[in-house]
Amino acid sequence: MDKQVIIVGLNHRSAPIAVRESVAFDGTEMRRGLRELRAAAAAVEESVILSTCNRVEVVAAAADAESAGRELREFLAEHRDREADEPLEQHLYEYRGPDAARHLFRVASSLDSMVVGEPQILGQLKEAYRVARESGTVGTVLHRLFHRCFFVAKRVRTETAIASRAVSISSVAVDLAKRIFDRFDDKTVMLIGAGKMGRLMALHLQRHGVKSLMVTNRTFEGAVDLASHIHGSPIRFEDFPQYLKLADLVIGCAGAPAVLVDAPMVEKVLRERKQQAMFFIDIGDRRNFDPRINGIDNVYLYNIDDLKAVAEENLQERSAEAEKAEQIVQEEVESFDRWLRSLERAPTIAALHHKFEQIRCRELEKSLSGALRELSDRERQALDRMTSAMIKKMLHGPISRLKAGRQDDEDLLYVAALRRLFDLDPKE
């Protein structure tokens, strides 16, 4: 059987954040997950795990797509947080063949993102591919597929205006904050997390007038580094709860495996603030804030799913460019499919070459040791070149036809006929 691409996963459309975060992988878990998948899933021949705040997907290549799809679902269920109680299966989707390539190309081009046009997903895809490559789980098919999806993303960004205005989850979160506050210059913001998302968030906040910004991070050096760039105040991670009372807006974008701010902590902070309202925006891959704090009076919590309404307005603005991008994706899906089919034909082409070369060499040797044994070395070499050229010319037509195949029924018939007519299949 020939390999095909399979994707099993869930995203911001198919599952709420509580379900997404229950199957999320951080950097260390991703390497371990790839090892476990390789050990447990016999049908999965190649694999890459993509895990972001909006999606968790396993991209695989396998000859037995049916078995591989089932193994990928079992793998995600096995990896899932044991405390999660909502059924996972109903939130999972599965793509195969050209549909899988189309999905990955749309993801890379941000057409499947909550914020269409955002550039972060491409970096996340490259990182997922790098981890898988270093873990030894990428082969011929996924290597080609990922490099192609990077190329598609570049085409979409250069040939359409889909990214003409910088957008990201961070910028959408700041747009949401602008709807909460009429002005930013008299507000104090605490940023939890100083990674890439935190840096983008800090820049957007400053651009919109925030003057007082506290930054905390698990590594204090990270907080100091970011704070120095934005003239903010670094806070040691273990001390941030006591500074919460100063914050009107708290934004969580840390890649933490557990909740960082719980309801009792917020109740205590509110008493210290004399019940002055606080707003929390949570855009962590896994939620940084306890969902129960939204039930506390004078506290307003928004998570990444609440950004959808703002993001959909963004999509409407870009719908015309998105249509152009979809056309590019379709062209590239067809191109990748042609390549994959040519890969499927490679064994037939190689077998055909080998068969003809065997015949040529055998007959040449028979002639040169019989009727043509008196030929000089120069004449023997000329004869060798002539017969070799004859074989190439004879095979040129059939092989060109194979490489340009359309994968329809007629084309598959040609492949089967060639293998049978020239006895190319190994004897059982």
Side-chain angles (χ1 to χ4, degrees), residues 43-104:
V44 176
E45 298 173 52
E46 303 177 36
S47 59
V48 174
I49 296 174
L50 173 65
S51 182
T52 74
C53 57
N54 277 327
R55 71 183 66 245
V56 178
E57 296 176 342
V58 184
V59 185
D64 184 353
E66 191 71 35
S67 298
R70 185 179 63 253
E71 290 174 348
L72 293 178
R73 288 169 183 272
E74 291 170 354
F75 167 70
L76 288 174
E78 183 66 24
H79 168 73
R80 195 180 187 199
D81 186 344
R82 297 298 173 209
E83 295 182 4
D85 49 7
E86 189 173 346
L88 176 64
E89 183 64 26
Q90 66 191 60
H91 299 290
L92 293 176
Y93 47 72
E94 180 172 337
Y95 297 102
R96 295 182 191 177
D99 289 339
R102 180 179 296 101
H103 176 74
L104 194 67

Side-chain angles (χ1 to χ4, degrees), residues 9 31 34 37 53-54 59 80 99 146 153 170 172 248 251 304 334 336 338 359 373:
R31 291 179 189 277
L34 288 167
L37 181 61
C53 57
N54 277 327
V59 185
R80 195 180 187 199
D99 289 339
F146 273 79
S170 303
V172 173
D248 303 295
I251 299 176
I304 199 156
E334 291 169 4
F336 178 76
R338 283 195 296 273
I359 295 171
R373 64 179 177 275

